[in-house]
């Protein structure tokens, strides 16, 4: 395989004007014809809308994001609405999207913009970049899409397209390849077209230059693409073998008292920070799930319980962790002992459904609801199939 356009290393300063122009024109023409009508594209000049959509789209597929974005925008149509909302409501609208630090940072950043910039999103890269949760990617997205500034956006799609077009070898997430990709992404932006150009590059990666099955025949960049003209375009980018998946078992205890269950709120930081859940612990080696369920009740909520039976199993993946969550119903024996969080509530399952829950806890709650429905119908069965 050649190692760059015209057989040279893909150094932005060495791109010929002809290559640059062909890349820009072909891509923009293609985008005009093929761009998807997505809800956030109706508000491209609104930095708040761009910001929210780009944060939601990190690590999450477009089709998953659409209903979340629409619900969010109907509840928080402006940055001021978001800044004034309680964090609990923000987390509830985010529940199921994962990576909750994104929602907490958006909320804090909106409050900061409201307080320090009179509610107007700053156009200055330094001011914008200092806001919570604004990394290089989000900064580039807001500056280029909302404000038409020449700032690059490099996501997994852009990394793949540029690695292939310019024949960039090495891990695209590590230097020197990563630095070259960012430099290329910035140097290719045509004057006054940052909004369309950056979105076109991401759209091409999503729709045409697929990871394992790129559609080179229909690609507008084929005439300038190193990988597209090689025997196997999928050789690039050179992604190192991923981290081994770690399997872990969590156990949650559903402590029931009449029509209510006990839930606790997690501390504000870390995975699932600020969300509500049934008392939960990671199952230790050599510990049975029932032992872990009793320990979860004791350590997380300060309750001694008797286990009634298993409720169901929920599978969930977070980064390189494959989590199996086992739910157990339990009866309260006494309230004593153990270190536990002060954020404990007794709620009905309906009330629990209105609080922000992590995705696996939301599934466990629904599973338990179905279990109780069967109980009311006189035919209880454990465990329930999911
Ligand atoms: S020609 Fe093929 S490899 Fe190159 S950018 Fe297009 S789809 Fe990707």
């Amino acid at each position: 395989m050649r190692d760059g356009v015209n057989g040279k290393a893909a150094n932005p300063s060495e791109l010929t004007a002809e290559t640059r122009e062909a890349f820009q024109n072909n891509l923009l023409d293609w985008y005009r014809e093929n761009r998807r009508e997505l809800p956030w594209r109706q508000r491209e000049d609104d930095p708040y809308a761009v910001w929210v959509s780009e944060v939601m789209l990190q690590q999450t597929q477009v089709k998953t994001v659409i209903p979340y974005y629409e619900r969010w925008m109907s509840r928080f149509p402006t940055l001021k609405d978001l800044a004034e909302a309680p964090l609990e409501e923000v987390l509830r609208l985010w529940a199921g999207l994962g990576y909750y630090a994104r929602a907490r940072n958006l909320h804090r950043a909106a409050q900061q913009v409201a307080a320090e910039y009179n509610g107007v999103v700053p156009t200055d890269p330094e001011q914008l970049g200092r806001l919570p949760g604004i990394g290089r990617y989000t900064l580039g997205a807001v500056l280029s899409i909302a404000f038409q500034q020449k700032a690059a956006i490099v996501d997994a799609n852009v990394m793949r397209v540029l690695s292939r077009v310019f024949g960039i070898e090495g891990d695209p997430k590590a230097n020197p390849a990563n630095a070259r990709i960012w430099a290329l992404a910035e140097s290719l932006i045509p004057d006054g077209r940052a909004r369309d150009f950056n979105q076109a590059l991401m759209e091409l990666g999503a729709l045409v230059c697929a990871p394992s099955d790129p559609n080179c025949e229909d690609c507008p960049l084929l005439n300038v693409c190193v990988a597209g003209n090689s025997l196997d375009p999928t050789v690039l980018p050179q992604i190192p073998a991923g981290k081994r998946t770690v399997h872990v078992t969590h156990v949650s205890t559903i402590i029931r008292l009449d029509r209510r269950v006990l839930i606790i709120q997690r501390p504000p930081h870390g995975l699932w920070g600020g969300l509500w859940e049934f008392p939960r612990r990671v199952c230790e080696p050599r510990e049975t799930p029932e032992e872990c369920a009793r320990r979860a009740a004791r350590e997380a909520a300060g309750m001694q319980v008797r286990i009634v039976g298993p409720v169901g199993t929920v599978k969930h993946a977070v980064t390189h962790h494959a989590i199996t969550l086992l739910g157990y119903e339990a009866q309260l024996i006494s309230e004593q002992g153990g270190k536990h969080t002060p954020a404990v509530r007794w709620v009905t399952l309906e009330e629990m459904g209105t609080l922000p829950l992590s995705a696996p806890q939301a599934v466990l709650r629904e599973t338990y609801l179905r279990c109780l429905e069967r109980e009311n119908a006189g035919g209880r069965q454990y465990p329930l199939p999911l």
Side-chain angles (χ1 to χ4, degrees):
M1 178 180 289
R2 291 176 292 161
D3 63 354
V5 174
N6 303 328
K8 293 181 181 173
N11 183 331
S13 62
E14 293 175 13
L15 285 184
T16 64
E18 199 186 345
T19 303
R20 188 189 311 270
E21 218 168 287
F23 189 110
Q24 294 168 335
N25 293 339
N26 294 356
L27 183 62
L28 285 167
D29 288 348
W30 173 86
Y31 183 61
R32 197 171 46 245
E33 299 290 320
N34 295 281
R35 67 179 242 152
R36 289 170 290 181
E37 286 311 320
L38 300 170
W40 43 90
R41 290 192 172 150
Q42 293 163 13
R43 291 175 63 170
E44 286 178 332
D45 55 0
D46 176 348
Y48 167 67
V50 172
W51 185 359
V52 170
S53 63
E54 289 298 334
V55 171
M56 285 186 171
L57 285 163
Q58 287 164 24
Q59 332 252 6
T60 314
Q61 292 188 334
V62 165
K63 68 174 191 300
T64 306
V65 166
I66 290 174
Y68 280 91
Y69 175 84
E70 288 178 333
R71 273 198 297 274
W72 184 281
M73 282 302 173
S74 68
R75 171 59 189 89
F76 311 128
T78 66
L79 183 138
K80 185 168 173 284
D81 297 312
L82 174 61
E84 290 172 355
L87 177 61
E88 189 159 293
E89 188 176 7
V90 173
L91 292 174
R92 187 167 55 75
L93 279 184
W94 196 274
L97 266 183
Y99 303 98
Y100 293 87
R102 294 183 295 172
R104 285 193 294 275
N105 282 334
L106 251 180
H107 187 232
R108 274 173 50 223
Q111 290 175 329
Q112 214 165 306
V113 171
E116 293 175 22
Y117 303 106
N118 206 20
V120 179
V121 177
T123 57
D124 176 66
E126 292 222 345
Q127 291 177 333
L128 192 54
R130 279 200 297 269
L131 294 171
I134 300 257
R136 196 175 182 184
Y137 170 89
T138 315
L139 182 67
V142 176
L143 291 177
S144 64
I145 299 173
F147 301 137
Q148 288 278 23
Q149 292 186 28
K150 267 192 164 185
I153 309 179
V154 174
D155 67 353
N157 286 324
V158 173
M159 274 183 199
R160 188 167 58 254
V161 171
L162 295 184
S163 296
R164 287 176 176 171
V165 170
F166 295 102
I168 298 171
E169 295 178 355
D171 179 359
K173 291 188 175 170
N175 287 331
N178 186 264
R180 287 166 75 187
I181 290 169
W182 275 96
L184 273 165
E186 199 167 295
S187 75
L188 284 163
I189 299 172
D191 292 338
R193 300 298 307 274
R195 171 183 298 160
D196 282 350
F197 182 82
N198 279 350
Q199 292 192 89
L201 206 46
M202 293 190 286
E203 194 86 329
L204 188 82
L207 301 182
V208 178
C209 192
S212 56
D213 188 21
N215 184 5
C216 299
E217 312 255 294
D218 294 328
C219 180
L221 301 182
L222 181 59
N223 64 336
V224 293
C225 182
V226 170
N229 290 287
S230 72
L231 286 178
D232 181 5
T234 64
V235 168
L236 293 175
Q238 294 177 337
I239 309 278
K243 286 185 189 169
R244 201 167 53 84
T245 300
V246 178
H247 294 268
V248 58
T249 300
H250 293 199
V251 177
S252 262
T253 316
I254 304 175
I255 308 172
R256 183 179 166 196
L257 199 59
D258 301 324
R259 292 191 58 250
R260 292 178 303 153
V261 291
L262 183 140
I263 56 171
I264 62 171
Q265 187 175 31
R266 293 190 52 69
H269 304 293
L271 180 65
W272 300 325
L275 304 189
W276 290 86
E277 62 182 13
F278 297 114
R280 177 179 57 85
R281 282 294 182 265
V282 176
C283 201
E284 305 279 1
R286 291 185 292 279
E287 185 179 41
T288 68
E290 287 84 353
E291 286 166 349
C292 185
R294 280 192 288 276
R295 182 167 62 84
R298 189 173 64 248
E299 289 183 358
M303 306 281 171
Q304 301 290 344
V305 297
R306 183 182 74 78
I307 301 301
V308 177
V311 170
T313 304
V314 182
K315 301 274 188 190
H316 186 72
V318 181
T319 58
H320 61 289
H321 285 91
I323 296 172
T324 300
L325 171 66
L326 305 176
Y328 280 83
E329 188 185 42
Q331 275 178 352
L332 178 63
I333 299 174
S334 62
E335 292 188 32
Q336 59 186 6
K339 286 181 285 177
H340 61 87
T341 165
V344 172
R345 280 193 204 167
W346 287 97
V347 293
T348 64
L349 286 169
E350 289 73 24
E351 286 164 345
M352 186 180 176
T354 67
L355 295 170
L357 311 174
S358 67
Q361 289 285 323
V363 175
L364 183 58
R365 172 191 159 273
E366 283 163 20
T367 305
Y368 188 54
L369 265 175
R370 292 203 300 275
C371 177
L372 294 182
E373 279 164 17
R374 287 191 186 208
E375 183 182 65
N376 290 339
R380 188 165 216 184
Q381 281 181 1
Y382 286 121
L384 289 173
L386 289 179

